[in-house]
Amino acid sequence: MMRIPLRKLTALLAILTWASLAPAQEQGISEDYVEIPGTNVSLRRPQGFSLAPGFPGILREDAGSFVVVNQIPAALHDVKAQIAEEVQTSADGVKLLGTEDLQVSGLDALLVQLSQMDGTESVRKWILLFGNDSITVMLAASAPQAWESQLGDGLRQTLLTARYFPDRKVDPYYGLGFSMRESTVLEVRGHLPGGVLMTRRGAPTELTPEDPVLVVYPTQNAEVAPLEILAMQQLTDTEQFTDFANFDEHPVTINGMAGYEIVADAKVTEVNTPVRILLVALRVGAGEMVLEGVVATAGWDQYLPEFRGLAESFQLSDGHSH
């Protein structure tokens, strides 16, 4: 199950890891650029890497290495400040190895180099931020430290040679296997493996419980559970919320897919702020998709219609993997 802290949107991309499977061959940079679906970014692929299924980026699965791309509609200096704070306050074994100011695709950029413990294994990470006063592009690359000598230079060069095309029209749901109607209230603010995170248009980079958040993600359950049980587990099995109360739940059907909806009150554990949550779990083939909307109680009546409207517009598209 995936949980996205309300005030740590960009931290997600900094901590993503993939399991290491086998040693990689020495990597160089190929000359061909590939468009990263759902973004305005093109990347030069290290040899052996391919477009990733389920998130915007490139992946070499057998090497446990990837580059993930995210576009944040916020000023570069604001995102840089948030990343700096999160690195300094992280309790996840993150160690800052260095920073570098530079230019990427003609825009101001910052390259942050980190190491992080993933269980007993050390992982090297590179986070590149570039943009202007209205948009920040965030590229996060990762490779097991044991393979840094083989992969590191290629990944670093992939970041530094990224190209940004502001006029390219993109589909934020491309490659995810689903889509929802366009919203005039919420916008896609981040991509997750197999899903998206949305918040209100014009919301600040650092979100608070007053800012509505809608997260859409696939479950990762080994066993198929009844939808009502799965939905309740997805809602309550988390440290992010506490003091659940006032449950209202019932089965739903959305575009021919069986589902289960729960509305409940809760509190954000970190700040003890009352929120209301709408969670819809949908049976999709052999798996499930979860849509979870959260906002402070005072904003519930304002944002519930959009949460529910987007959930009811959910439909499968070509390439769905379940």
Side-chain angles (χ1 to χ4, degrees):
M1 184 175 70
M2 184 174 297
R3 284 288 181 259
I4 311 301
L6 286 173
R7 296 190 297 154
K8 298 206 174 187
L9 168 64
T10 57
L12 170 73
L13 298 180
I15 63 174
L16 283 171
T17 58
W18 286 78
S20 303
L21 300 176
Q25 301 296 319
E26 184 175 355
Q27 304 299 316
I29 292 290
S30 61
E31 291 299 322
D32 58 315
Y33 274 79
V34 292
E35 294 185 7
I36 304 303
T39 79
N40 298 83
V41 175
S42 293
L43 296 179
R44 294 169 70 184
R45 293 179 294 126
Q47 295 174 9
F49 281 68
S50 59
L51 287 175
F55 70 88
I58 56 176
L59 166 69
R60 176 155 178 171
E61 191 169 1
D62 66 341
S65 183
F66 66 89
V67 179
V68 62
V69 180
N70 204 32
Q71 296 178 179
I72 305 168
L76 175 63
H77 63 82
D78 291 339
V79 179
K80 287 167 64 174
Q82 183 176 351
I83 289 293
E85 178 182 355
E86 289 174 353
V87 169
Q88 292 173 0
T89 60
S90 174
D92 296 322
V94 175
K95 181 180 180 181
L96 178 64
L97 302 179
T99 62
E100 183 179 355
D101 292 308
L102 32 77
Q103 290 264 314
V104 171
S105 197
L107 298 168
D108 291 338
L110 173 70
L111 179 65
V112 181
Q113 300 183 61
L114 307 164
S115 66
Q116 182 180 14
M117 294 303 299
D118 179 20
T120 59
E121 182 179 37
S122 179
V123 178
R124 276 297 306 270
K125 300 177 183 291
W126 298 261
I127 300 175
L128 177 72
L129 305 172
F130 66 91
N132 51 36
D133 290 337
S134 60
I135 184 74
T136 298
V137 177
M138 181 177 181
L139 310 181
S142 178
Q145 186 173 6
W147 297 341
E148 180 187 353
S149 61
Q150 299 157 309
L151 298 173
D153 288 345
L155 289 172
R156 188 176 188 276
Q157 287 303 309
T158 293
L159 301 188
L160 298 185
T161 57
R163 293 178 179 173
Y164 179 68
F165 300 90
D167 297 328
R168 179 190 296 166
K169 186 176 181 179
V170 300
D171 175 5
Y173 302 107
Y174 183 91
L176 296 179
F178 71 88
S179 65
M180 298 186 293
R181 66 162 170 78
E182 185 175 357
S183 173
T184 60
V185 179
L186 306 180
E187 64 183 357
V188 173
R189 185 64 68 90
H191 286 84
L192 322 173
V196 296
L197 184 148
M198 304 178 72
T199 188
R200 69 175 175 84
R201 294 181 179 272
T205 304
E206 186 169 348
L207 303 177
T208 70
E210 286 71 31
D211 296 303
V213 170
L214 178 66
V215 184
V216 184
Y217 61 93
T219 65
Q220 300 176 355
N221 298 295
E223 299 181 0
V224 176
L227 273 175
E228 61 270 26
I229 295 176
L230 179 136
M232 187 62 72
Q233 290 174 338
Q234 294 294 303
L235 177 65
T236 59
D237 186 16
T238 173
E239 297 179 356
Q240 184 181 350
F241 303 112
T242 187
D243 295 344
F244 289 95
N246 302 321
F247 294 94
D248 181 10
E249 51 186 295
H250 57 88
V252 296
T253 301
I254 293 177
N255 291 321
M257 292 171 283
Y260 200 80
E261 176 186 299
I262 303 177
V263 173
D265 291 322
K267 289 185 178 179
V268 179
T269 305
E270 186 178 354
V271 292
N272 202 36
T273 300
V275 295
R276 294 208 83 189
I277 304 172
L278 167 72
L279 185 141
V280 177
L282 294 174
R283 184 79 72 200
V284 181
E288 300 83 24
M289 292 292 296
V290 174
L291 300 89
E292 185 173 4
V294 184
V295 71
T297 305
W300 179 250
D301 290 339
Q302 178 181 357
Y303 292 107
L304 173 61
E306 193 64 11
F307 287 161
R308 186 165 277 140
L310 284 166
E312 292 174 350
S313 75
F314 181 96
Q315 59 183 347
L316 300 182
S317 56
D318 292 341
H320 191 78
S321 58
H322 288 280

